[in-house]
Amino acid sequence: MNPVKCRSIVLQGSIQATRILQVCGFKHYPPPIKYDHVEFPERPRLKFVDRQPQLPPNIKAPKMQKKLRLMRGPEHIHNFLLHKQYGIMALGGGRLKWGHFEMLRLTIGRKMDKDRMFAIWRVDNPWFPVTKKGQGQRMGGGKGAIDHYVTPVKAGKIILELGGKCEFLEVKDFLTDCANKLPFKAVAVSQEMLDKQKADEKWREENNQNPYTMKYLIQNNMGGCQRWISPLDFKYFCKYV
């Protein structure tokens, strides 16, 4: 081989190796997230919740039945994030007492940075009366007196929202801690998690190759299942307890 040509090849190889070493020293960082679209409410912290509803003085507090239907099935209205950021979502039905509201308000108010974060309620104040009889009373004698008030919650309902100039990793720990203290299963969610969940459900429905779904089994009375399943299962096909 021509020595001049060989020398040029060696020089080109050394130049390329030098360029590789120079490039390896640099790191590529993505641009910071912009929060120009975030709208802050007038009050950044969670509002205080009354222990019982305020009724006019000439109206006696009414007593109600159990109405378990208020806790069964999915939530159809408050099942999305208004500010498209973060929140706590219920995974099952239950009742929120006034103590749970105070726990959420005090914990989140202490953990979050009020200068760049905010939190809002997505559930009503305690309005549903729960009656209870005194200790040692016999059965009968009519319905007991109102003991406290609760807020019924369905599966998929957003309990509260938290947003602002922050990322999900900053708020995930204390949101999860608050969700674990609720009387029903709940989880800290972000808008990306909700979008992914909806996309996964849609993909499973479109690509399901097993024709024997729970809906098919119940509607066709496979194995005589209609004799023992709950009336709620006819409506939601065993998806909600």
Side-chain angles (χ1 to χ4, degrees):
M1 180 180 290
N2 190 356
V4 178
K5 186 176 181 181
C6 181
R7 183 180 178 184
S8 63
I9 294 175
V10 172
L11 289 175
Q12 291 178 1
S14 61
I15 293 173
Q16 291 179 358
T18 306
R19 289 178 179 175
I20 292 174
L21 292 175
Q22 290 178 353
V23 171
C24 290
F26 292 98
K27 293 183 179 180
H28 174 71
Y29 294 100
I33 302 175
K34 295 183 179 180
Y35 298 99
D36 300 335
H37 62 284
V38 178
E39 297 181 1
F40 283 77
E42 297 180 358
R43 186 173 180 176
R45 294 187 178 183
L46 294 173
K47 296 182 180 179
F48 178 79
V49 174
D50 294 331
R51 190 184 291 264
Q52 60 186 13
Q54 302 296 329
L55 299 175
N58 58 344
I59 294 180
K60 185 179 179 180
K63 301 176 184 179
M64 297 183 183
Q65 299 174 343
K66 289 186 177 181
K67 292 186 179 181
L68 298 180
R69 65 179 182 273
L70 298 177
M71 298 176 286
R72 291 178 173 175
E75 175 66 30
H76 297 291
I77 300 176
H78 300 285
N79 55 2
F80 62 94
L81 297 172
L82 290 174
H83 295 273
K84 308 296 182 183
Q85 287 192 288
Y86 326 113
I88 297 177
M89 184 179 69
L91 299 179
R95 291 174 173 176
L96 286 174
K97 296 182 179 180
W98 180 79
H100 300 124
F101 282 91
E102 281 296 287
M103 179 271 297
L104 294 173
R105 184 180 70 88
L106 295 175
T107 304
I108 293 180
R110 182 171 59 253
K111 295 293 183 64
M112 78 174 190
D113 186 0
K114 65 178 182 179
D115 295 331
R116 58 188 182 90
M117 299 181 190
F118 66 89
I120 59 172
W121 292 113
R122 290 294 303 276
V123 290
D124 300 328
N125 297 353
W127 61 271
F128 188 84
V130 177
T131 59
K132 182 180 179 182
K133 287 196 173 184
Q135 186 73 21
Q137 290 190 7
R138 293 187 178 182
M139 299 295 291
K143 196 173 181 65
I146 295 176
D147 183 67
H148 59 277
Y149 288 84
V150 297
T151 300
V153 172
K154 290 186 176 182
K157 187 178 183 66
I158 303 298
I159 307 299
L160 57 86
E161 282 193 44
L162 191 144
K165 299 179 180 180
C166 58
E167 297 185 14
F168 186 56
L169 292 177
E170 299 180 53
V171 301
K172 181 180 178 181
D173 291 339
F174 63 85
L175 285 181
T176 304
D177 183 33
C178 293
N180 294 334
K181 295 179 182 178
L182 294 178
F184 44 79
K185 289 185 178 181
V187 64
V189 296
S190 63
Q191 185 62 37
E192 290 76 12
M193 294 173 61
L194 295 180
D195 295 340
K196 185 177 183 300
Q197 181 181 359
K198 291 182 180 179
D200 292 344
E201 291 179 358
K202 183 178 180 181
W203 184 88
R204 283 195 296 266
E205 291 179 359
E206 294 176 352
N207 297 273
N208 182 27
Q209 298 180 358
N210 184 10
Y212 295 99
T213 60
M214 187 60 68
K215 180 178 180 181
Y216 179 85
L217 296 178
I218 293 176
Q219 290 181 347
N220 292 275
N221 194 22
M222 301 293 289
C225 62
Q226 294 183 2
R227 293 179 298 176
W228 52 268
I229 62 175
S230 169
L232 195 70
D233 296 332
F234 281 94
K235 186 175 182 180
Y236 300 116
F237 305 111
C238 301
K239 189 175 182 181
Y240 301 95
V241 180

